[in-house]
Amino acid sequence: MDTRNLLDKRHRARGAAKPLVVAIIVVLAVLVIGAWFLIIKPHQEMMLEDAGGHPSGPALASTGKTPPPADVASMDVNQLLGEARKAINEQRYLAPVGNNAFEFYLRVLQKQPSNQVASDALRETFPYAATSAEQVINARDFDESQRQIDLLAKADPANFTLTILRSKLDAQRKLLDKQQQQVVDQQKAQQVAAQKAASEKAEADKLAEQQKIQAAEAAQLKARQARATPQPAQQVAAVKPAAGDAGDSAGIGNSGKNSEAILVKGAEPIYPQIALRAHQSGWAVVAFTIDPNGRTNDIHVTSSQPKHVFERAAIDAVARYRFTPAMKNGEAVPSAREQRIEFNL
């Protein structure tokens, strides 16, 4: 047989096979598309209808206090599915407690672990329920957030979304703790500042009061010292000269000048502090000699009231007195005198 003829036959056979392969592929594609629209899609729609319909988008789960239906424990599978569909339509995925889609579907699976409708519905609504739980976390309702996360974990314990939700819940708790601690610290700082201001004010008031008391005591002391200063009119008569001296003075009369000592400089006695604090008044009678230079000496207290309180102050005051000395026959002579010094408040 001619080799060329064989090659031509093979080429013709291959050329005829190509349209056949294309036709088979087209038929298979048509069958797949037809199966999608005629079998798979209607089945999914039926499943979604049984599950209560697919939500158009995530929304906040109802958190109202809608009471659960009566006798939930005695409901059969169909009744539980009906309640679950109603909850889905009202977007009650995880709340309120006992009246939400996830709890109804989980009850169905407890009764029929192989129930495909409940399993598919939980899987389909899980993302929306997780979004609802996240919103509750952001609202910082931590107890409710934990309950919803636990409910999601019963439906799909291995879902990675649970890890994210738990992390967010923990972060929100820590953030709230930090904010609360900041508030507490701020309140403590305000209290400390208020206490410090009050303490400083009390110290300032106390110091002002002490200064006022000291000024009043100083004024009182000055007034008492002024009252206690002897004046010439207050002087007690000096010791009278002896009768002989009087005669001599009278006899000499015109031969020389005779006069008594005259106070020219007094001194304020210093009020004793112990008496000042005790608001104590008194007096002291001081006897002394005036020498020819007009100075005082031989100063001593003859009587006082009360005893041992004003003696020293009286003696110190008299020691600072200055006199014009007594004159006899034109000459300065010593003279004796007593002085009563009052100490009054």
Side-chain angles (χ1 to χ4, degrees), residues 276-290:
L276 183 63
R277 293 193 186 96
H279 299 281
Q280 195 172 29
S281 301
W283 52 267
V285 176
V286 182
F288 55 93
T289 301
I290 303 169

Side-chain angles (χ1 to χ4, degrees), residues 177-192:
D177 291 342
K178 182 179 179 181
Q179 292 173 344
Q180 291 176 342
Q181 186 61 45
Q182 289 175 345
V183 172
V184 172
D185 293 342
Q186 185 177 5
Q187 291 176 346
K188 288 182 178 179
Q190 291 174 349
Q191 290 176 354
V192 170

Side-chain angles (χ1 to χ4, degrees), residues 75-86:
M75 287 183 179
D76 58 22
V77 171
N78 291 330
Q79 289 174 326
L80 289 171
L81 290 174
E83 291 294 336
R85 285 193 296 270
K86 182 179 178 181

Side-chain angles (χ1 to χ4, degrees), residues 95-307:
V97 178
N99 194 16
N100 59 80
F102 264 59
E103 290 191 47
F104 289 133
Y105 284 131
L106 290 172
R107 284 183 177 274
V108 171
L109 292 177
Q110 288 177 356
K111 293 178 178 292
Q112 289 184 0
S114 62
N115 190 289
Q116 194 63 36
V117 174
S119 299
D120 292 342
L122 288 173
R123 184 179 65 255
E124 292 290 335
T125 57
F126 192 95
Y128 303 99
T131 300
S132 175
E134 182 179 4
Q135 291 172 343
V136 177
I137 292 172
N138 293 335
R140 292 184 175 178
D141 189 350
F142 297 142
D143 292 339
E144 177 63 14
S145 300
Q146 188 62 59
R147 186 192 68 80
Q148 292 190 11
I149 290 173
D150 294 341
L151 189 56
L152 288 170
K154 292 179 181 179
D156 188 0
N159 196 305
F160 183 71
T161 304
L162 295 173
T163 302
I164 298 174
L165 292 175
R166 289 180 180 124
S167 298
K168 289 184 177 181
L169 177 58
D170 184 60
Q172 284 289 353
R173 281 173 170 163
K174 290 180 179 178
L175 178 60
L176 179 61
D177 291 342
K178 182 179 179 181
Q179 292 173 344
Q180 291 176 342
Q181 186 61 45
Q182 289 175 345
V183 172
V184 172
D185 293 342
Q186 185 177 5
Q187 291 176 346
K188 288 182 178 179
Q190 291 174 349
Q191 290 176 354
V192 170
Q195 291 174 354
K196 182 178 180 181
S199 177
E200 291 176 350
K201 184 177 183 302
E203 289 293 332
D205 292 343
K206 183 178 179 180
L207 179 60
E209 186 66 22
Q210 290 177 348
Q211 292 174 346
K212 183 178 179 181
I213 293 173
Q214 290 174 356
E217 290 179 349
Q220 291 176 358
L221 177 60
K222 186 175 181 180
R224 294 186 190 108
Q225 290 174 344
R227 288 195 300 269
T229 302
Q231 300 298 328
Q234 297 173 324
Q235 295 176 4
V236 180
V239 178
K240 295 181 179 180
D245 292 339
D248 292 342
S249 298
I252 295 174
N254 296 326
S255 63
K257 182 179 180 181
N258 297 327
S259 62
E260 296 180 355
I262 300 173
L263 178 68
V264 295
K265 180 182 177 183
E268 295 181 356
I270 298 175
Y271 212 101
Q273 287 293 327
I274 186 170
L276 183 63
R277 293 193 186 96
H279 299 281
Q280 195 172 29
S281 301
W283 52 267
V285 176
V286 182
F288 55 93
T289 301
I290 303 169
D291 63 20
N293 293 323
R295 296 181 178 275
T296 58
N297 52 48
D298 191 21
I299 305 168
H300 60 279
V301 175
T302 61
S303 62
S304 64
Q305 184 65 35
K307 297 291 185 180

